[in-house]
Amino acid sequence: MVRHKSFVDLRAGIRRLKLDLGQLQLAIAAAEFGSFRRAADALTITQSTLSRSIQLLEHSIGIIIFERSRAGVTATPAGLDFLRTARSILEQMDRLVARVKLADRDECGRLAIGFSTSLTAGHLRATLLEYSARFPLVKLEIVERSRSQLAIALRNGMVDLYVAAGDSFHINSAISRLWSERVFVALPHDHPLALQDGVLWTDLSSQVVLISQYDSRRELQAFLYTGLITSTAGPRIEHRDVSRAEMRNLVSMGLGITLVLESDVGSNSSGLVYRELRDSKGPSRVGFFAVWRHDNESPALANFLKLLTERYPSSSLA
């Protein structure tokens, strides 16, 4: 038998070996008890069985793990390196088995949720918080993109489900209507329309309506502004090269007004007031949908869909 000075020399060979995890456990037990006999007694097996198993292990890896004597056994320098690695392997296997058992009970895993709305407040925020509380071991990933980018991410498997406003979704996706949100007008506090309880679409005539070039909800905004564009005397729409957050600063500076959804109203924006946008039938609303792939069998996704049916029983999910 070749006696290696260091276990490092064996790394390449170890990767090619098919080690018995039971043999590793017996070797670690022998090291901890310092005796084949005491280790065998603790494991309720015969000493000859344990000794033979460790001999086969030593032969398999090509090193002497233990120096034997009448007083017991002592790990060799190479054996110490081997046993440290063996302990690490067994610990990782224990963690892996535990995670697999949890996954089998749908208690862990990964779930990627895409969105193109706000998480400041609203239904989506509340749903994500409840899901995290119910399934704390699931790694929840949140992705903000435009609706077109979310559709690509869904097809590529980068997200499991996304929530977006509007309609015209991909025909191969599973789609469910969830909730709707009111539309508000964000105004400077001293704007004439701020004195009203609500704002009609016709009130927006001759107003400057600001749209962010980099808002992740550009498709949603296009849906919202359909009513403005088709108005007889519509407002002047200006695209600005700023983020959605900075858009509020432009509004507070008196450079125009903008439209936001109900979930955005909770955002910190000093100097602004929000007024509900209404038409002849009442508040203007935008519907939100959940979109996912039919062939996604993730237990984490299944639990998220179940939660959606509980929170929104009138949705098509139910």
Side-chain angles (χ1 to χ4, degrees):
M1 181 180 297
V2 179
R3 291 177 180 265
H4 293 269
K5 294 182 179 179
S6 170
F7 183 66
V8 175
D9 301 331
L10 297 174
R11 286 179 179 173
I14 289 293
R15 285 194 291 267
R16 296 191 298 269
L17 295 176
K18 295 182 180 179
L19 296 179
D20 185 336
L21 295 181
Q23 291 177 331
L24 299 185
Q25 292 171 325
L26 294 180
I28 291 172
E32 290 176 347
F33 283 96
S35 165
F36 285 175
R37 180 183 58 78
R38 289 194 293 271
D41 290 343
L43 297 172
T44 63
I45 60 175
T46 65
Q47 180 177 339
S48 61
T49 298
L50 185 143
S51 177
R52 177 59 178 166
S53 177
I54 292 177
Q55 285 178 347
L56 291 173
L57 177 61
E58 291 176 324
H59 180 76
S60 176
I61 63 177
I63 69 169
I64 296 296
I65 301 174
F66 296 107
E67 294 288 355
R68 282 83 163 167
S69 69
R70 292 182 180 275
V73 294
T74 304
T76 64
L80 287 173
D81 285 340
F82 176 80
L83 291 169
R84 277 194 290 267
T85 302
R87 286 191 181 92
S88 176
I89 291 171
L90 293 177
E91 288 171 358
Q92 292 180 53
M93 286 300 299
D94 286 342
R95 288 194 292 269
L96 175 61
V97 170
R99 288 184 63 84
V100 169
K101 288 181 178 179
L102 289 172
D104 189 53
R105 297 199 301 266
D106 303 341
E107 295 179 11
C108 72
R110 167 192 173 274
L111 181 66
I113 300 294
F115 73 101
S116 60
T117 181
S118 173
L119 291 181
T120 303
H123 295 280
L124 181 57
R125 176 187 174 90
T127 302
L128 292 174
L129 287 173
E130 183 173 351
Y131 184 84
S132 295
R134 286 195 190 186
F135 305 98
L137 296 180
V138 173
K139 182 180 180 182
L140 190 60
E141 299 178 3
I142 310 299
V143 179
E144 181 183 15
R145 297 287 189 275
S146 67
R147 200 177 77 172
S148 60
Q149 291 173 324
L150 289 174
I152 294 173
L154 183 68
R155 288 198 298 271
N156 294 339
M158 299 303 294
V159 298
D160 296 291
L161 174 146
Y162 70 86
V163 175
D167 50 17
S168 301
F169 295 98
H170 195 276
I171 192 170
N172 292 326
S173 300
I175 305 165
S176 174
R177 179 184 295 275
L178 296 175
W179 59 80
S180 66
E181 292 187 14
R182 292 176 294 165
V183 182
F184 285 78
V185 183
L187 306 156
H189 68 90
D190 56 354
H191 194 284
L193 293 178
L195 300 175
Q196 303 178 186
D197 292 334
V199 175
L200 299 175
W201 284 95
T202 53
D203 292 332
L204 300 180
S205 300
S206 73
Q207 297 292 327
V208 176
V209 178
L210 304 178
I211 300 177
S212 169
Q213 294 276 42
Y214 295 97
D215 195 326
S216 63
R217 300 177 308 163
R218 291 178 68 180
E219 290 84 359
L220 171 58
Q221 288 183 336
F223 170 81
L224 290 175
Y225 299 139
T226 299
L228 299 175
I229 295 172
T230 57
S231 297
T232 303
R236 187 169 81 250
I237 298 176
E238 295 185 359
H239 295 267
R240 295 300 179 92
D241 191 10
V242 298
S243 68
R244 183 171 57 186
E246 289 301 322
M247 186 65 68
R248 291 182 173 84
N249 291 329
L250 298 184
V251 173
S252 66
M253 293 166 61
L255 299 180
I257 64 176
T258 193
L259 302 184
V260 300
L261 292 177
E262 191 170 355
S263 56
D264 286 318
V265 173
S267 302
N268 183 20
S269 49
S270 59
L272 297 184
V273 295
Y274 297 92
R275 294 294 179 262
E276 189 178 71
L277 182 61
R278 301 169 181 168
D279 56 25
S280 58
K281 298 179 181 179
S284 297
R285 306 188 72 91
V286 173
F288 278 79
F289 294 78
V291 187
W292 69 99
R293 286 175 49 167
H294 291 284
D295 59 354
N296 190 336
E297 298 180 355
S298 164
L301 173 62
N303 282 327
F304 189 80
L305 294 174
K306 181 180 179 182
L307 174 60
L308 289 177
T309 64
E310 294 174 5
R311 292 183 61 87
Y312 311 103
S314 61
S315 71
S316 55
L317 275 163

